Amino acid sequence: MFKANVVVSLKKQVLDPQGKQIQHALHDLGLSSVKSLRYGKFIEVELDSASREEAQEQLDAICRKLLANPVIEDYRFDIE
Amino acid sequence: MFKANVVVSLKKQVLDPQGKQIQHALHDLGLSSVKSLRYGKFIEVELDSASREEAQEQLDAICRKLLANPVIEDYRFDIE
């Protein structure tokens, strides 16, 4: 059994209205030290793969097919 | 300027319907090696703090006040 953490985030050149909104809310709360904020997804996965290489391939497929939209999002993962 | 990565995830004992739904979708796609999946948030923050300690305090306040719901969510962060 392999455990992996996947991070899906918007590409740098893509606007992040949700992140901007959070930043505005933080300023309203008096937390104005935040200079930039980007909002993404974090997915913890447990995989029943035969090997680390297989887990890596499966995670790549999972990200490409479902978790990330490759047009606007990047993904990365690390296997524990 | 400090960069930090914040992860907000549902507490272990809280049901995660979104994660379950993703897992079902993966099974339908033929990716049935996924045995468990938990869905959370990932936030990249840039802080204009005087020191690492100050950045840590501010991040803690940001998480408590806005990013996480302490009743059902845990948060953790690391400062680069």
Side-chain angles (χ1 to χ4, degrees):
Chain A
M1 189 78 85
F2 293 91
K3 278 186 80 171
N5 294 327
V6 182
V7 171
V8 180
S9 53
L10 285 168
K11 285 180 197 263
K12 287 256 178 303
Q13 64 271 30
V14 176
L15 286 175
D16 177 12
Q18 204 169 354
K20 270 274 168 289
Q21 206 52 49
I22 294 171
Q23 206 179 331
H24 284 306
L26 288 172
H27 279 245
D28 293 346
L29 286 170
L31 295 157
S32 52
S33 57
V34 175
K35 293 306 165 205
S36 110
L37 192 148
R38 304 277 290 174
Y39 191 85
K41 294 173 267 187
F42 182 85
I43 302 112
E44 288 171 272
V45 189
E46 271 181 30
L47 286 156
D48 190 16
S49 312
S51 69
R52 211 178 172 79
E53 287 68 37
E54 198 188 298
Q56 203 145 8
E57 275 170 36
Q58 285 167 336
L59 278 166
D60 212 55
I62 289 167
C63 290
R64 272 185 292 107
K65 289 187 183 171
L66 195 73
L67 296 180
N69 174 354
V71 179
I72 55 164
E73 290 173 324
D74 286 325
Y75 63 85
R76 60 180 188 273
F77 52 79
D78 55 275
I79 303 171
E80 278 173 23
Chain B
M1 188 77 85
F2 292 92
K3 277 185 82 171
N5 293 328
V6 182
V7 171
V8 180
S9 53
L10 285 168
K11 286 179 196 263
K12 288 256 179 299
Q13 64 271 32
V14 177
L15 286 175
D16 177 13
Q18 205 169 355
K20 269 275 167 288
Q21 206 52 49
I22 294 171
Q23 206 178 331
H24 284 307
L26 288 172
H27 279 244
D28 291 346
L29 286 169
L31 296 157
S32 51
S33 56
V34 174
K35 293 305 164 207
S36 113
L37 192 148
R38 302 279 290 176
Y39 192 85
K41 294 174 266 186
F42 182 85
I43 302 113
E44 288 171 273
V45 188
E46 271 181 30
L47 287 154
D48 190 16
S49 313
S51 68
R52 211 179 172 79
E53 287 68 38
E54 199 188 298
Q56 204 145 9
E57 276 170 36
Q58 285 168 336
L59 278 166
D60 211 55
I62 289 167
C63 290
R64 270 185 293 105
K65 289 186 183 173
L66 194 72
L67 296 180
N69 174 354
V71 179
I72 55 164
E73 290 172 324
D74 285 326
Y75 63 85
R76 59 181 190 271
F77 53 79
D78 55 275
I79 303 171
E80 280 172 22

